[in-house]
Amino acid sequence: FFPLALYHVGLEDLPKVAALGMNAVQGWGGNVERARQYLDAAQANGLKVLLEMGGLVGETVNTDAIEEHVHALKDHPALLVWYVRDEPSLALHDSVRQAAELFHRLDRNHPTYLVSCLPNEFGNQAQLADILAVDPYPLPGGLVSRVAQWADLAWQATRREKPVWLI
C-alpha cells in the first residue's frame, strides 16, 4: 500500500477524493462516533484514514479518551494509522511519546504517525512514532527542491530504520 492522501477532507468530498485516485485521507479523532462515521464513509469510498488524535495529546495525554477510541476503532478496516500529533513542539515530546506507547499497548496492528515541520527536530521526533512525516510546504513562495531536501534530512534522521512520508 502506497498512501496517496489528502488532508482536511469533509465527508461530502470523500467520493471526489476517491475519484481522483487518492487512497487515503486525514480524519479527526476526538469524538468516537464522529470518527466512526468518518471511517465508515471512507471505507465506503475505498479510502484509508490517518486518524488524527492530536486534540487528545497536549501538555497532558487524555488516556481515557485514547483508550475509548482504540477499543472502539482499532478493528475498523479503514483505519490506517494513529496520527498521534501534528507538528509537536519540544515541550510536547514527552506527551507524544507517552501517547504513542499507549497506542502500541492497546493496538499492535496499526502504526503511530506524526508530522514535523522542524528539520532540526527530525532526529528527536523520529523517535516518537513509527512513521515520521514531514511537511515542507514549498508552495507558494518556496522552492520545490525543499521537498527533496527535507526527505533526505528525515531519512537520515530515522537512520533509515523507519518510514518517512511526505506531506
Side-chain angles (χ1 to χ4, degrees), residues 41-146:
Q43 177 69 20
N45 285 282
L47 299 165
K48 299 290 185 186
V49 177
L50 295 79
L51 192 60
E52 187 166 342
M53 306 297 290
L56 304 178
V57 182
E59 291 180 11
T60 61
V61 177
N62 188 334
T63 56
D64 290 341
I66 288 174
E67 288 177 6
E68 179 186 12
H69 277 74
V70 174
H71 291 305
L73 304 172
K74 69 180 182 180
D75 294 322
H76 198 289
L79 180 64
L80 181 61
V81 298
W82 297 108
Y83 186 170
V84 179
R85 183 68 193 198
D86 187 64
E87 302 176 353
S89 67
L90 182 59
L92 297 181
H93 284 197
D94 287 340
S95 294
V96 172
R97 184 177 290 105
Q98 178 187 350
E101 290 171 359
L102 179 59
F103 282 112
H104 286 143
R105 275 197 311 275
L106 298 172
D107 180 6
R108 299 210 181 268
N109 295 318
H110 293 94
T112 56
Y113 168 95
L114 74 78
V115 177
S116 178
C117 64
L118 301 170
N120 60 336
E121 286 295 318
F122 288 173
N124 293 326
Q125 292 177 338
Q127 306 311 309
L128 300 176
D130 299 314
I131 300 166
L132 175 64
V134 298
D135 55 357
Y137 296 122
L139 301 173
L143 298 174
V144 173
S145 61
R146 182 186 309 163

